[in-house]
Amino acid sequence: YRNVRDYHLRGAGTFVDFLHQYHQLLQRSRNGYLSQVAAVTGPPEHHNGFAARVFVDDDALYLLSGWMLTSGESEGYLGGVWEKDKLELQYWNVGYWSSQTSWRQYTAIGFVPTGASRFRFLALQRGTGMVLFDNVLFCKISPLDFTSVEY
């Protein structure tokens, strides 16, 4: 990824602030509401975008979600890589979008693979157009404990 900027984050759930600090922001309508979105463009022969690493807990459950819209002849990608000491262990592909003109939300829940200590979040664009990202979220979640539920 030649044109991908890499950042380090201190905690999960900070990607929305991260997007607002480091990338071109545009006002766009999504589902009838005006929203400030991050725009990614670049040379069509490369993947363009950004990456951010965040530490994760062993054997935990995480949610990755975000809205994506492409314009022109572009492909967008939302996902990442589970890592141990910058060694790639496993890709987590959440969303891939090619030349579509309507917003689409991608959401996935995944377990941290054995041995992983970090997650490298990727939001990428490739092609002659632009990819917009909105409301991107990465956070640790806890499954419900039904053993303590009273009926």
Side-chain angles (χ1 to χ4, degrees):
Y1 305 114
R2 187 173 294 166
N3 292 335
V4 176
R5 288 190 238 164
D6 218 340
Y7 301 94
H8 295 272
L9 302 181
R10 298 202 185 279
T14 60
F15 287 119
V16 174
D17 294 333
F18 165 76
L19 291 173
H20 288 247
Q21 289 175 0
Y22 294 105
H23 294 281
Q24 178 184 358
L25 296 177
L26 304 174
Q27 293 285 329
R28 291 292 189 268
S29 177
R30 181 174 55 79
N31 297 337
Y33 296 96
L34 194 61
S35 185
Q36 207 172 33
V37 301
V40 179
T41 61
E45 65 274 10
H46 302 295
H47 284 96
N48 308 288
F50 52 90
R53 285 187 171 95
V54 63
F55 288 99
V56 295
D57 294 331
D58 291 348
D59 301 322
L61 195 60
Y62 283 84
L63 172 112
L64 176 57
S65 180
W67 290 83
M68 192 170 23
L69 171 73
T70 62
S71 67
E73 295 296 320
S74 273
E75 300 168 346
Y77 173 82
L78 180 66
V81 183
W82 299 103
E83 298 179 331
K84 179 179 182 178
D85 303 323
K86 292 190 180 181
L87 174 67
E88 295 180 354
L89 296 178
Q90 180 179 331
Y91 275 85
W92 189 23
N93 302 314
V94 176
Y96 173 80
W97 196 252
S98 181
S99 301
Q100 298 295 323
T101 57
S102 60
W103 284 99
R104 182 165 180 187
Q105 184 178 27
Y106 292 93
T107 302
I109 296 172
F111 283 101
V112 175
T114 303
S117 59
R118 292 193 304 193
F119 181 71
R120 183 176 184 224
F121 166 78
L122 297 168
L124 304 175
Q125 174 270 350
R126 185 175 182 151
T128 59
M130 175 185 320
V131 177
L132 303 177
F133 294 93
D134 194 18
N135 288 356
V136 176
L137 174 69
F138 177 74
C139 62
K140 182 179 173 181
I141 59 175
S142 298
L144 293 174
D145 180 8
F146 289 104
T147 60
S148 62
V149 174
E150 292 183 26
Y151 296 96

